[in-house]
């Protein structure tokens, strides 16, 4: 794995991407944040050695390097999902590459359904903890000790320092930022009513199909991270309406400006 990481890093460096400080992963419908980045380089995943390309048409699949909030950032516009058929190692490879490039913090985002009945669509949830319901784990297989330990601690998978700052920023900006537990499922289908009931019983506040693999790898490699879910639908099993992916994308696009404001302000303080 180290050899592949070196290959990818050397390709990116030879394309002028040097010393990024912060990595950003933009989830479904959340790509517009890149409009605020003053862009130096923009590279499609398919031309980056060892990167897989996004197979979902509305996930754009570009690595963007530039400046945001006075810091050098490396942003993934569109991520890879397990449901696309990639292995967990493939979907988390970019996180290892960003760390090897030098990022000190990882800021993730995703679109998620609300299990907590107090959450309204269009609001934001800071992920305080997660429940991994994906059928696979990116750390399965022989451990590479140079990357991290065999049994990474997960007692505090999200940076308390970053999360505290994000809550303070949201309050100052008058943006509702819930704190809650994110459950990751495989997808690509949405959940049945019975599954939404189950997720509530096990303690999830929101559900989505991503983020947790990247967070597991970030913890493996000792990279402090935060994640914010944009609540795109309300999963009340007793009043469930059919969920349309186009609605999810539209709601994410609307709420994105709050997410962008919070993350940009955070980046200014790092
Ligand atoms: N379930 C799973 N993933 C999602 C949802 C949902 O309700 N909304 C957005 N992503």
């Amino acid at each position: 794995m180290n050899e592949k990481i070196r290959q990818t890093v050397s390709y990116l460096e030879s394309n002028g991407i040097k010393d990024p400080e912060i990595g950003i992963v933009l989830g479904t419908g959340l790509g517009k944040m890149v409009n605020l980045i003053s862009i130096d380089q923009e590279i499609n995943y398919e031309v980056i050695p060892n990167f897989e390309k996004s197979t979902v048409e509305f996930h754009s699949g570009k690595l963007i390097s530039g400046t945001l909030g006075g810091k050098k950032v490396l942003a993934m516009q569109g991520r890879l999902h397990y449901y696309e058929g990639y292995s967990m190692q493939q979907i988390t490879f970019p996180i290892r590459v960003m760390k090897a490039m030098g990022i000190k913090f990882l800021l993730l985002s995703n679109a998620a359904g609300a299990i907590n009945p107090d959450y309204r669509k269009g609001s934001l949830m800071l992920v305080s903890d997660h429940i991994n319901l994906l059928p696979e784990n990116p750390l399965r297989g022989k451990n590479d000790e140079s990357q991290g330990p065999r049994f990474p601690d997960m007692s505090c998978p999200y940076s308390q320092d970053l999360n505290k700052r994000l809550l303070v920023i949201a309050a100052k900006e008058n943006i509702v930022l819930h704190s809650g537990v994110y459950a990751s499922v495989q997808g690509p289908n949405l959940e049945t009513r019975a599954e939404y009931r189950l997720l509530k019983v096990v303690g999830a506040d929101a559900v989505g199909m991503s983020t947790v693999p990247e967070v597991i790898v970030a913890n493996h490699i000792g990279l402090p991270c935060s994640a914010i879910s944009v609540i795109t639908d309300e999963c009340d099993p007793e009043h469930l309406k059919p969920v349309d992916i186009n609605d999810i994308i539209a709601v994410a696009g609307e709420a994105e400006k709050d997410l962008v404001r919070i993350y940009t302000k955070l980046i200014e303080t790092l």
Side-chain angles (χ1 to χ4, degrees):
M1 175 155 55
N2 275 327
E3 185 41 42
K4 275 187 164 181
I5 294 172
R6 265 194 294 279
Q7 234 176 34
T8 308
V9 168
S10 109
Y11 170 84
L12 295 174
E13 287 184 347
S14 68
N15 275 274
I17 303 182
K18 291 250 162 70
D19 306 322
E21 300 166 84
I22 295 158
I24 301 172
V25 179
L26 300 171
T28 305
L30 301 170
K32 288 201 298 286
M33 185 163 179
V34 300
N35 298 341
L36 288 188
I37 300 177
S38 118
I39 298 176
D40 298 328
Q41 278 293 332
E42 200 175 316
I43 309 180
N44 286 335
Y45 294 163
E46 57 219 48
V47 301
I48 303 176
N50 307 314
F51 266 46
E52 302 301 330
K53 62 170 186 290
S54 176
T55 63
V56 191
E57 74 272 20
F58 50 81
H59 292 137
S60 68
K62 267 188 221 158
L63 189 67
I64 289 161
S65 114
T67 310
L68 178 69
K71 303 280 166 2
K72 288 182 83 171
V73 300
L74 200 48
M76 293 181 67
Q77 190 182 29
R79 59 151 64 78
L80 303 168
H81 297 82
Y82 187 67
Y83 64 70
E84 293 178 76
Y86 295 122
S87 72
M88 286 289 178
Q89 284 80 5
Q90 286 172 315
I91 66 179
T92 54
F93 181 75
I95 307 299
R96 297 189 187 277
V97 168
M98 290 197 284
K99 172 81 180 340
M101 301 281 300
I103 65 162
K104 300 287 180 288
F105 303 99
L106 178 66
L107 307 179
L108 300 138
S109 63
N110 59 54
I115 302 297
N116 187 320
D118 297 335
Y119 295 0
R120 296 281 79 87
K121 108 184 181 176
S123 63
L124 302 179
M125 183 191 88
L126 179 63
V127 181
S128 58
D129 205 348
H130 71 228
I131 300 170
N132 184 12
L133 297 175
L134 287 159
E136 239 272 63
N137 189 298
L139 307 183
R140 181 169 172 268
K142 191 171 181 312
N143 186 53
D144 181 342
E145 289 290 325
S146 70
Q147 286 281 307
R150 170 76 289 185
F151 300 106
D153 173 54
M154 289 295 271
S155 60
C156 189
Y158 299 85
S159 159
Q160 283 188 329
D161 174 43
L162 293 178
N163 278 10
K164 259 190 231 148
R165 292 177 196 231
L166 287 164
L167 288 167
V168 170
I169 292 166
K172 269 199 197 135
E173 297 288 315
N174 270 320
I175 294 169
V176 176
L177 182 61
H178 304 290
S179 262
V181 174
Y182 175 89
S184 58
V185 293
Q186 177 171 195
N189 57 285
L190 289 126
E191 290 67 42
T192 64
R193 292 165 197 265
E195 286 164 344
Y196 285 133
R197 277 186 211 109
L198 169 93
L199 288 165
K200 190 163 182 217
V201 169
V202 298
D205 293 296
V207 58
M209 305 173 194
S210 68
T211 305
V212 167
E214 290 116 308
V215 170
I216 291 173
V217 165
N219 278 268
H220 186 230
I221 59 186
L223 178 62
C225 66
S226 272
I228 294 181
S229 297
V230 174
I231 301 298
T232 52
D233 51 303
E234 295 169 18
C235 312
D236 173 0
E238 310 322 320
H239 306 95
L240 193 63
K241 297 188 201 80
V243 184
D244 180 341
I245 187 69
N246 294 309
D247 289 345
I248 288 182
I249 293 167
V251 176
E254 271 296 296
E256 184 178 14
K257 50 186 180 317
D258 290 339
L259 171 83
V260 169
R261 231 161 77 214
I262 295 181
Y263 268 164
T264 308
K265 295 261 169 201
L266 173 72
I267 291 168
E268 285 168 5
T269 72
L270 293 177

